[in-house]
Amino acid sequence: MCSLRKPVISRSIVYSAKFSGGGTQRLIDAGDFEKDTPVSKEIYQCSGCGLVQFADAPVSYYRDQTRAGERSKSLIELRKIQYRHFIETYHLTGKKIIEIGAGKGGFLRTLKDMSEYEVQEYGLENNEAFVQYAREQEHVNMIQGYLRDEHMRIEGAPFDAFLSFAYFQRLDEPNVVLRGVFNNLSDDGVGFVQVPALEHLLRGCGFYDIVNDHISYFDQNTLRFWLERNGFEIEEIGETAAVYNYAIVRKRKKI
């Protein structure tokens, strides 16, 4: 089954490898190598939409936004550049913006600190401990939950815009979650989506980024297909630091 297009027309193997059975958030210690049981995994490409993806079940913690360095100096500066462009170009001063898969709230804290824009920041995160940390340490507005149903209403909706940084590639039902986001936006809502770039892997130096935490590997074509399939129009699409693909989208207007 293709994560974006179900049922899949056909699929072909594009990569095969063995991975540690623990996942990237369950790394083993040096003394446990002999106890680890490697897992063989194959990556397929959908002949219908072109998405490159694992066909296996996701890791147990796939709904959690596990990431490091949220408050590192380099990421704070990058987020400021991205936020400034997004807010100023799409007239979001004073608006309500929600991050989907907000982790421990570090990226939201950067947004909150840009007080000149008077943005009302919100975050949706599945992991309860992360939500508590974000509230107590980053002092941002966090909602504990996960969009299991596209009709689920998020507390505080509708929002004027959404953000997502390297989250959707983790999900086994990205269409459901994205439709849920769509349904929690205002009629003229916009969004900023960033995912790891398949192009980075194919340039020959990025195969270390193939991890069993990530189900889907988007290039710009499949990123566009997925976003448009779920009701959005593309305003901008491109690369970030030659490692990520990003898109800025707007809800498609009803005719």
Side-chain angles (χ1 to χ4, degrees), residues 29-251:
D29 295 328
D32 294 328
F33 282 131
E34 294 183 0
K35 302 176 184 178
D36 185 46
T37 303
V39 177
S40 296
K41 305 195 86 171
E42 294 174 337
I43 298 178
Y44 296 85
Q45 183 173 34
C46 174
S47 63
C49 69
L51 181 70
V52 173
Q53 63 205 287
F54 281 125
D56 303 311
V59 294
S60 60
Y61 51 86
Y62 74 94
R63 297 184 181 94
D64 303 345
Q65 176 59 293
T66 54
R67 62 191 178 199
E70 289 185 342
R71 296 296 291 165
S72 67
K73 183 177 179 180
S74 60
L75 281 179
I76 288 174
E77 292 307 311
L78 176 59
R79 293 293 168 261
K80 284 182 177 180
I81 292 169
Q82 293 173 320
Y83 291 156
R84 189 172 297 113
H85 170 72
F86 188 48
I87 294 169
E88 292 181 357
T89 303
Y90 298 95
H91 311 292
L92 295 172
T93 297
K95 301 294 186 178
K96 293 165 62 176
I97 301 179
I98 185 167
E99 182 184 0
I100 306 300
K104 295 182 178 179
F107 293 168
L108 278 181
R109 173 63 182 273
T110 300
L111 180 62
K112 181 176 182 177
D113 287 347
M114 298 173 72
S115 56
E116 65 271 26
Y117 293 114
E118 301 179 333
V119 165
Q120 302 171 60
E121 89 292 338
Y122 296 82
L124 181 69
E125 170 56 45
N126 179 71
N127 187 295
E128 293 184 14
F130 293 176
V131 170
Q132 182 177 355
Y133 181 94
R135 290 171 177 168
E136 296 177 356
Q137 303 298 321
E138 304 295 359
H139 308 291
V140 292
N141 297 315
M142 291 285 283
I143 302 158
Q144 194 278 320
Y146 177 78
L147 285 166
R148 294 178 174 84
D149 183 332
E150 66 182 70
H151 301 294
M152 171 184 162
R153 184 171 179 82
I154 303 173
E155 180 184 347
F159 301 95
D160 300 295
F162 78 96
L163 305 164
S164 178
F165 298 99
Y167 183 61
F168 279 102
Q169 80 279 355
R170 305 172 59 89
L171 308 182
D172 66 342
E173 290 283 359
N175 290 326
V176 172
V177 177
L178 188 59
R179 288 297 301 182
V181 174
F182 181 97
N183 291 329
N184 279 277
L185 293 178
S186 59
D187 289 342
D188 57 350
V190 294
F192 182 103
V193 179
Q194 181 172 286
V195 291
L198 177 62
E199 294 90 338
H200 167 59
L201 305 183
L202 298 180
R203 281 191 281 263
C205 58
F207 280 94
Y208 59 84
D209 274 338
I210 296 179
V211 294
N212 56 0
D213 287 34
H214 296 177
I215 293 177
S216 301
Y217 295 84
F218 292 91
D219 63 13
Q220 290 185 24
N221 290 328
T222 51
L223 180 59
R224 178 185 293 274
F225 170 83
W226 168 61
L227 293 166
E228 291 180 339
R229 186 183 192 277
N230 288 286
F232 291 96
E233 296 176 344
I234 306 297
E235 296 284 338
E236 302 178 31
I237 193 165
E239 275 193 351
T240 300
V243 177
Y244 295 96
N245 286 325
Y246 81 92
I248 295 179
V249 298
R250 186 182 299 276
K251 285 183 72 171

